[in-house]
Amino acid sequence: MSYSPTLIVHICGGVVGLVSGTAAMCFRKGSPRHVLAGRIFVASMLTMGALAAYLAITRHQPNNIGGGILTFYLIGTAWLTARRKDGNEPFGLGCARDSPGEWHPQLDDWRQSPA
């Protein structure tokens, strides 16, 4: 049985993602090895997600198109969030905050203004 080179790269990206993700979880957060493993994880998962969407389009698998796009989006935004130095989420996405004032900066001014 012959596999396309795109499928082989997709599978290798997933395997490298599993190994590097496990390594990133094993290393101390912020250590150089954790950072390296995390970067490898992001690159391999972005590769896997993009190729998953491409393969789904070429093989007429509409359900897998969304899975590939969703994987690419989630890994990309997670990387952008991890790279932020000021603590803000990229594109103003802060849905995981405790109070609405924390994820809607304009509400902070409203809450802190004298009544």
Side-chain angles (χ1 to χ4, degrees):
M1 177 181 268
S2 176
Y3 295 107
S4 71
T6 307
L7 180 61
I8 293 171
V9 173
H10 165 75
I11 293 170
C12 290
V15 170
V16 170
L18 287 171
V19 172
S20 61
T22 302
M25 289 188 291
C26 291
F27 297 133
R28 186 177 52 82
K29 184 177 178 182
S31 70
R33 292 188 294 181
H34 172 84
V35 172
L36 177 62
R39 287 181 180 167
I40 293 170
F41 172 78
V42 168
S44 64
M45 292 299 287
L46 288 175
T47 301
M48 186 204 62
L51 291 178
Y54 171 77
L55 287 167
I57 291 168
T58 58
R59 295 175 184 217
H60 307 291
Q61 299 173 344
N63 293 334
N64 290 334
I65 295 170
I69 292 170
L70 182 64
T71 299
F72 190 87
Y73 168 76
L74 291 175
I75 295 296
T77 55
W79 179 77
L80 288 173
T81 300
R83 300 306 311 156
R84 295 291 295 225
K85 299 296 183 199
D86 60 1
N88 293 327
E89 287 77 15
F91 314 119
L93 301 175
C95 300
R97 293 293 182 201
D98 294 332
S99 72
E102 289 183 280
W103 58 283
H104 289 297
Q106 65 273 20
L107 292 180
D108 281 338
D109 296 333
W110 175 77
R111 280 192 314 162
Q112 296 172 0
S113 63

